[in-house]
Amino acid sequence: MLPELLCSLYPTAPEGQSGVLGACLCGVSVEQLVLMTEAAVNAGVKTTLLEAHSEMGSTEILEKEASESLSNGTRSNVEAARRLARRLYQLDRFKRSDVAKHLGKNNEFSKLVAEEYLKFFDFTGMTLDQSLRYFFKAFSLVGETQERERVLIHFSNRYFYCNPDAIASQDGVHCLTCAMMLLNTDLHGHNIGKKMTCQEFIANLQGVNEGGDFSKDLLKALYNSIKNEKLEWAVDDEEKKKSPSEGTDEKANGTHPKTISRIGSTTNPFLDIPHDPNAAVYKSGFLARKIHADMDGKKTPRGKRGWKTFYAVLKGTVLYLQKDEYKPEKALSEEDLKNAVSVHHALASKATDYEKKPNVLKLKTADWRVLLFQAQSPEEMQGWINKINCVAAVFSAPPFPAAIGSQKKFSRPLLPATTTKLSQEEQLKSHEGKLKQITTELAEHRSYPPDKKVKAKEIDEYRLKDHYLEFELRISLSSSTLLPSLMIIFIRKPVMKFMSAF
């Protein structure tokens, strides 16, 4: 899988690193890894159950349940999952913010718990937006991006079970659920820019309902529902009691202000920048930064364009910019998180059009911000460019929604910050497919330039789409070029520092 693809970026396993990645980096052989994996699988049910109850002080009870599950088989697992699901629903010694992490883990027991938990919700006869609001009243959708996304998948499956004739498939339900979450951020977030119209929302979803279209009346109803009332989830009582100075925005969205796990919008698990304290560190060093353009490519005001020096750390898919040198044990400050930049769907290149300073690279982000970074040498500059582009190529999830070519009016698609679920080969095919699609679309776009007599707004729309397609073409070309090399080296040397060549 992709997390293991980049395991060899570390020169040594970082402090606190565990699992396959840490093992690889500490010189464990493939044969040893196989034995470790088998042992972990055999102990998996017990470990998961212990995690589920450790926070409420019932470890000894759960150890007994885990032993029974292992000895009695699947029936005991289901019974244990049912008991835990009931307690989560009733908030029996659990907080609302505890629920999602028990539903969203990537193991069989967590899936059982989620299935049992969702049985407490009867969505029969309810619209999708009504069901999602009803679901969110029970708990806080917090946690890592992948966990939150799995929770929404369980919701989609339950809704389809309750309303099998409302939407064609479970995938269709999940597609609309994701679309509503994205729309919620677009309409109510503070960092998106131009708001999506109903027509654009409908156009974005053309052809994604099992190859067909969703009902326009359905999409209009969903759009108006989200526009008129923001999607929000429940929060813990102690969060409600906090004063405004302790973080009004965090309370409203069910997040924890002092233990930040997301950067950016907290209303959407797909667009938030993931802040994972245990993520891999791929490169670090001093960089000077200059903000050249703000979100949506708007030129940064003159007073905010100055150069500032930071200690940069490329950790996971986030480039952290800190005032002091990186220390693994030191918690990131709010200022550090504010300066952080996500490199998902980003492109780094040499700033050939900037000649005032040497060794300057340009980073264009998914939301079209442009930042200039000065490295200490040409080699360091190229090293940062390669590492950033490699991380973006391997971990960036496919755009959602993808059907931009059928739109009558161009609107930039939202690019999720979630890590891709695709395998190495599937990720490469995705990049190659996108490269072909964008190449064709750009050629068609440029073959029909607007007439000089048309309105200025139409010319601006044409230029915007041209700029988007050209930028995406460069990203796809970079990713399609980098990934095959990474995969070849990975196959030949699966536990070696294969990315050092980049």
Side-chain angles (χ1 to χ4, degrees), residues 120-134:
F120 289 103
F121 297 86
D122 185 4
F123 301 131
T124 305
M126 299 172 67
T127 61
L128 185 58
D129 57 302
Q130 289 172 343
S131 300
L132 192 57
R133 294 184 195 279
Y134 172 44

Side-chain angles (χ1 to χ4, degrees), residues 239-250:
E239 289 291 318
K240 295 178 183 178
K241 295 175 183 177
K242 288 184 178 179
S243 65
S245 63
E246 291 180 283
T248 304
D249 291 339
E250 289 87 350

Side-chain angles (χ1 to χ4, degrees), residues 296-308:
D296 295 324
K298 296 178 181 178
K299 197 164 186 178
T300 304
R302 187 174 295 274
K304 298 181 179 180
R305 296 185 211 163
W307 287 92
K308 292 183 180 179

Side-chain angles (χ1 to χ4, degrees), residues 451-482:
D451 191 279
K452 294 182 180 180
K453 297 180 181 180
V454 300
K455 296 179 180 179
K457 186 177 180 181
E458 292 184 30
I459 295 177
D460 289 341
E461 289 280 342
Y462 176 87
R463 289 174 178 169
L464 178 68
K465 184 172 182 178
D466 189 87
H467 186 73
Y468 164 77
L469 291 172
E470 186 173 338
F471 178 54
E472 289 300 307
L473 180 64
R474 292 181 63 198
I475 291 178
S476 299
L477 185 59
S478 171
S479 300
S480 299
T481 303
L482 285 171

Side-chain angles (χ1 to χ4, degrees), residues 263-264 272-274 289-291 293 310 312-322 335-347 363-373 384 388 391 417:
I263 306 169
D272 297 348
I273 299 175
R289 183 207 67 186
K290 176 185 175 70
I291 303 176
F310 296 93
V313 181
L314 182 57
K315 187 175 183 179
T317 58
V318 181
L319 179 63
Y320 295 98
L321 301 172
Q322 303 172 220
E335 188 67 20
D336 292 335
L337 294 174
K338 182 180 178 182
N339 290 327
V341 181
S342 175
V343 301
H344 75 93
H345 300 94
L347 181 67
L363 176 64
K364 186 168 183 178
T365 63
D367 55 7
W368 284 17
R369 284 184 293 164
V370 178
L371 302 103
L372 301 179
F373 292 98
W384 279 106
I388 289 172
V391 169

Side-chain angles (χ1 to χ4, degrees), residues 193-223:
K194 183 180 177 182
K195 305 300 181 183
M196 186 182 293
T197 65
C198 184
Q199 290 75 18
E200 289 169 341
F201 179 67
I202 293 172
N204 279 347
L205 290 166
Q206 287 183 354
V208 297
N209 183 25
E210 299 292 305
D213 295 339
F214 292 106
S215 161
K216 287 188 177 181
D217 290 337
L218 169 63
L219 297 181
K220 287 179 182 178
L222 294 178
Y223 179 90

Side-chain angles (χ1 to χ4, degrees), residues 5-120:
L5 176 60
L6 289 179
C7 67
S8 303
L9 276 167
Y10 280 121
T12 58
E15 184 177 346
Q17 182 68 51
S18 61
V20 175
L21 178 57
C24 289
L25 299 169
C26 291
V28 177
S29 69
V30 175
E31 291 77 16
Q32 288 172 308
L33 283 176
V34 172
L35 293 174
M36 290 164 61
T37 303
E38 291 175 350
V41 170
N42 291 335
V45 175
K46 181 173 182 178
T47 301
T48 304
L49 286 167
L50 287 172
E51 287 178 353
H53 286 260
S54 61
E55 297 182 15
M56 58 187 189
S58 302
T59 304
E60 57 281 320
I61 297 174
L62 200 47
E63 285 178 342
K64 181 179 179 182
E65 290 181 356
S67 298
E68 291 174 355
S69 297
L70 289 170
S71 60
N72 296 335
T74 305
R75 179 175 297 179
S76 295
N77 292 349
V78 173
E79 288 300 321
R82 190 170 295 152
R83 288 194 294 272
L84 178 55
R86 185 181 300 109
R87 295 183 63 187
L88 289 171
Y89 180 74
Q90 296 173 349
L91 298 177
D92 179 7
R93 288 183 283 176
F94 284 104
K95 296 188 296 183
R96 296 183 190 278
S97 56
D98 294 330
V99 176
K101 60 187 172 185
H102 292 299
L103 306 183
K105 293 184 183 297
N106 189 25
N107 58 57
E108 290 304 317
F109 183 72
S110 183
K111 292 176 184 177
L112 287 174
V113 174
E115 290 173 4
E116 294 299 324
Y117 182 82
L118 264 295
K119 289 179 181 179
F120 289 103

